[in-house]
Amino acid sequence: MTNRIWPDPSIVGGLAAVRSGRPLVYGLTNYIAAQLSANVLLAVGASPAIGGMPAASEHFAAIAGGVWINLAALVTDEPDILIKVAKSANAAGTPWVLDPVTVGAGATENDRVAAELVALRPTAVRGNASEVIALAGGAGGTKGVDSTATSEEAIPFAKSLAKKTGGVVAVSGPIDYVTDGERVVAVPGGHPNLTRVTGTGCSLGGLVAAFAAVVPDKLDAAVAAHAVLATAAERAARTAPGTGTFAVALLDELSLLEAA
């Protein structure tokens, strides 16, 4: 296992590629997280498009540089839209990210849709420890959208899931872990306030999709996305007295990170 943090050249280079490439990132998420997710993507230089428009979702998935599907989109979108977007991304060769929010919390239909999406072999899966454990077939014990397991406990499940999908799996926690089934990279850092602002985890799924759009090695892409958010969070926490200003400062710090 290796550690990577900012300013590792692969992380700085990944951000530079996003800023210069300005990839279109299409996402399905819920209305609670959509605004922050869009602003996070704009802050790093990507171009976001969000929403499960029935007449346009498959088209956007095909023309985007990267796609992310957050299971919380089921708040407003029918399961068929999520499946169609994943299939359209696959057909176009577009890297796509699955964020399995609430998997393992006992919502049977949500778990069924997540399993169907996993069978479509996402480029990356990004979730908390309980979600990843549950998605890999373990007893995750998700509490709503919160994890009851540690990210370290999820590593073997993440490796197994990555081998199953042929992609990468990222586990969020005090230390994030990213694996392709063989390699495991730890991304330390961040700040507890990331868990106290709605939508930061959802936004991270969008960031992974943005980096996957321009970084050929998808493990490197996921690591860079996690490290960039962690670094911005650490810097935001230095000046923000509370969680409200932290959310704004987080966007500021993402936009100010030097990519060269």
Side-chain angles (χ1 to χ4, degrees):
M1 184 184 300
T2 59
N3 281 19
R4 283 197 226 164
I5 59 172
W6 182 274
D8 182 278
S10 66
I11 298 168
V12 176
L15 180 58
V18 173
R19 293 215 194 279
S20 62
R22 298 192 58 82
L24 172 63
V25 181
Y26 177 60
L28 300 179
T29 189
N30 65 12
Y31 57 85
I32 299 167
Q35 182 174 352
L36 182 61
S37 298
N39 284 334
V40 163
L41 286 168
L42 288 168
V44 297
S47 177
I50 298 175
M53 301 163 284
S57 56
E58 292 174 82
H59 170 72
F60 274 105
I63 67 170
V67 168
W68 99 97
I69 299 172
N70 188 311
L71 207 63
L74 292 172
V75 169
T76 53
D77 299 331
E78 292 297 320
D80 282 354
I81 291 180
L82 278 64
I83 301 301
K84 287 178 179 178
V85 165
K87 289 181 176 179
S88 180
N90 279 345
T94 305
W96 66 281
V97 179
L98 172 62
D99 191 332
V101 172
T102 74
V103 166
T108 304
E109 179 61 14
N110 279 20
D111 291 359
R112 183 196 65 78
V113 176
E116 193 169 345
L117 287 165
V118 165
L120 294 172
R121 299 171 67 86
T123 307
V125 175
R126 188 228 68 84
N128 66 36
S130 290
E131 291 161 351
V132 169
I133 290 171
L135 204 60
T142 305
K143 181 183 178 183
V145 298
D146 297 323
S147 179
T148 60
T150 68
S151 49
E152 289 78 13
E153 290 172 328
I155 292 173
F157 294 92
K159 293 176 71 173
S160 173
L161 184 59
K163 290 176 181 177
K164 179 179 179 180
T165 63
V168 300
V169 176
V171 185
S172 297
I175 298 176
D176 301 330
Y177 294 97
V178 185
T179 181
D180 59 4
E182 299 295 338
R183 297 174 292 172
V184 179
V185 178
V187 184
H191 192 272
N193 277 352
L194 284 170
T195 66
R196 299 168 186 154
V197 174
T198 298
T200 54
C202 302
S203 301
L204 182 53
L207 276 181
V208 174
F211 280 78
V214 294
V215 176
D217 187 308
K218 302 315 174 193
L219 182 81
D220 287 346
V223 167
H226 283 73
V228 162
L229 186 66
T231 300
E234 290 171 356
R235 296 181 180 184
R238 293 172 191 164
T239 58
T243 57
T245 47
F246 174 81
V248 176
L250 179 66
L251 295 174
D252 286 343
E253 295 298 342
L254 283 169
S255 68
L256 293 170
L257 270 179
E258 189 58 60

